[in-house]
Amino acid sequence: MAQPQSKRLDHRRPSEDDIYPALPSETKQAPSAVDIEILKSIGMSENEIIAFERQRSAYINKDQIMMSDIQMPPEEFFTQYSDIPKADTLSPDAVKLMLSKLAVIKLNGGLGTGMGCSGGKGTIEVRAGMTFLDLTVQHIAQLNSTYGVNVPLVLMNSFRTDKETNKVLEKYQGQNVRISTFIQSKFPRVYRDTMNPVPKPGSKFNVNEWYPPGSGDVFRSIMWSGLLDSLVAEGKEYIFVSNVENIGAVVDLAILSQVVQRNTSFALEVTDRISTDVTGGLLALYRGKPTLVEMSQVKVEKIRDFREFRSWNTNNLWANLKTVRTLSESDALDLDWVASRTGPEGRHLQIETPAGMAIR
């Protein structure tokens, strides 16, 4: 792997119309790449290094997103759920054929700390002794039994949840569902000013210095794991991706029917925004093309400009497996980032990519 050359980057002057805050002057002057030998020495794989450097560079070289270039998507941009044929209008044979082409992926890399719980989100008990993962397995097993199909369940774990999850998977051995797992990438947190990795070469692994780089990592990590090729080889054409803790994210046969009939490359389920939707993504058009605007990244003074935007990202998405493979292999699946401060006094930074960004 070639060594990227470190260089100083030129940046345009901040604009009042830019919806994102300007980067600190120190960050703007950070080298465009970290020495590859340093990244190897702290335990990163070659694939992780390439993805990390790309994500870090995208942040340092962030584009100015002008409010004048953003519009609300027109009504004809959407397919309203109320307008599509309902599942009970589909024949059993049609449903069986559709489901034979589907794999379900649950994003299972997050911890339950934001819910006031410990451990991975998938193992959190939500009702009467049932965990999020229990409910997911129950749903897929019921689909398989009802229609005589073999919809596989694939879990994207992180380094934080993989060991715990694999322990509990043993109890599902008698269920009518085949479960596979893969581990998403792990990226080092960086210092906000220098953009250098927080972990030091030769130091003991510290879980607080690393993070799973967002749901958007699902596309490249499933390819790296070999599972994508395996699914395609067994005739799977589409994936339904959602958060494991979203118990409303079930395989909707009416939506699946539309995805298959239209040979959809990528579809995102959105819902009407409500007053409590503060951190998350709004669907918008940027220079005429669909994009997600992550509200946590928008300048405080620009948030009011989005008050009329109503389409809120559910992070439930459908994608064509061959399209994902083609785009991933050609490095054309370039997702935008979301950055958040962490660590002592907010001096550390982690840069993530939401899966819904693939809509663009």
Side-chain angles (χ1 to χ4, degrees):
M1 182 168 53
Q3 168 75 50
Q5 292 187 356
S6 177
K7 63 178 181 180
R8 299 294 180 180
L9 303 169
D10 294 326
H11 293 263
R12 292 169 291 172
R13 292 182 180 179
S15 167
E16 291 184 2
D17 194 41
D18 189 354
I19 66 171
Y20 296 141
L23 296 179
S25 57
E26 298 90 344
T27 302
K28 293 179 182 180
Q29 297 303 313
S32 62
V34 178
D35 188 286
I36 286 178
E37 295 307 316
I38 291 177
L39 297 179
K40 286 181 178 179
S41 69
I42 62 175
M44 297 186 74
S45 69
E46 183 170 320
N47 283 332
E48 286 175 330
I49 290 172
I50 294 171
F52 168 76
E53 291 282 40
R54 181 180 292 120
Q55 211 153 293
R56 178 182 175 277
S57 178
Y59 175 77
I60 297 173
N61 292 283
K62 81 177 192 74
D63 291 330
Q64 291 181 319
I65 307 298
M66 302 303 179
M67 192 65 212
S68 56
D69 289 329
I70 297 176
Q71 297 87 33
M72 280 192 294
E75 285 299 317
E76 56 267 25
F77 184 81
F78 303 93
T79 297
Q80 296 296 332
Y81 186 76
S82 58
D83 293 337
I84 64 177
K86 299 301 178 280
D88 57 12
T89 66
L90 303 169
S91 71
D93 286 343
V95 172
K96 185 172 182 176
L97 180 61
M98 291 188 311
L99 289 173
S100 70
K101 301 178 179 181
L102 180 69
V104 172
I105 299 179
K106 286 292 183 176
L107 306 172
N108 187 49
L111 299 177
T113 50
M115 302 177 178
C117 304
S118 60
K121 290 180 180 178
T123 58
I124 295 174
E125 184 177 320
V126 285
R127 71 177 188 194
M130 298 285 286
T131 66
F132 286 120
L133 194 51
D134 291 338
L135 294 172
T136 296
V137 172
Q138 185 181 76
H139 168 59
I140 304 301
Q142 184 177 9
L143 274 179
N144 288 338
S145 298
T146 300
Y147 295 101
V149 291
N150 181 24
V151 176
L153 172 61
V154 180
L155 302 176
M156 183 175 80
N157 300 332
S158 71
F159 67 91
R160 293 173 174 168
T161 65
D162 188 61
K163 185 176 180 180
E164 178 187 19
T165 299
N166 281 300
K167 282 183 179 180
V168 303
L169 290 184
E170 297 176 3
K171 70 177 181 178
Y172 304 124
Q173 288 182 0
Q175 299 277 359
N176 186 17
V177 57
R178 188 187 72 204
I179 305 175
S180 303
T181 67
F182 66 98
I183 305 178
Q184 70 177 118
S185 309
K186 70 177 190 301
F187 282 6
R189 287 173 173 162
V190 297
Y191 290 104
R192 185 167 171 261
D193 51 0
T194 65
M195 297 298 294
N196 289 328
V198 173
K200 299 295 186 290
S203 63
K204 186 178 179 180
F205 180 79
N206 181 346
V207 68
N208 295 317
E209 295 177 343
W210 297 80
Y211 69 99
S215 58
D217 189 60
V218 64
F219 303 116
R220 59 190 175 215
S221 286
I222 194 173
M223 184 182 69
W224 295 340
S225 73
L227 265 174
L228 191 154
D229 286 336
S230 296
L231 291 172
V232 171
E234 65 180 76
K236 303 305 178 184
E237 298 180 22
Y238 301 97
I239 50 174
F240 173 55
V241 183
S242 61
N243 296 333
V244 71
E245 73 274 18
N246 185 352
I247 57 176
V250 297
V251 176
D252 189 310
L253 297 176
I255 298 177
L256 175 59
S257 175
Q258 293 298 302
V259 169
V260 173
Q261 287 179 26
R262 302 181 186 194
N263 193 25
T264 303
S265 294
F266 188 91
L268 185 65
E269 295 182 22
V270 296
T271 188
D272 289 338
R273 182 185 186 185
I274 59 177
S275 59
T276 54
D277 289 329
V278 178
T279 57
L282 279 172
L283 191 64
L285 293 184
Y286 176 62
R287 295 180 177 174
K289 295 183 178 180
T291 190
L292 278 184
V293 176
E294 288 290 330
M295 297 308 292
S296 64
Q297 306 297 295
V298 175
K299 291 177 184 175
V300 173
E301 62 270 24
K302 287 293 181 182
I303 290 178
R304 64 180 181 272
D305 293 338
F306 291 94
R307 60 185 179 274
E308 300 299 326
F309 288 68
R310 308 309 307 166
S311 299
W312 195 255
N313 175 30
T314 65
N315 215 36
N316 299 347
L317 58 94
W318 304 77
N320 182 291
L321 274 172
K322 290 183 179 179
T323 300
V324 170
R325 182 169 63 180
T326 299
L327 292 175
S328 297
E329 287 177 344
S330 61
D331 286 332
L333 198 59
D334 190 20
L335 308 184
D336 208 349
W337 48 262
V338 173
S340 56
R341 297 188 192 183
T342 185
E345 300 176 353
R347 291 188 291 111
H348 299 168
L349 194 72
Q350 61 184 48
I351 306 167
E352 305 177 37
T353 52
M357 289 289 188
I359 191 67
R360 65 182 195 169

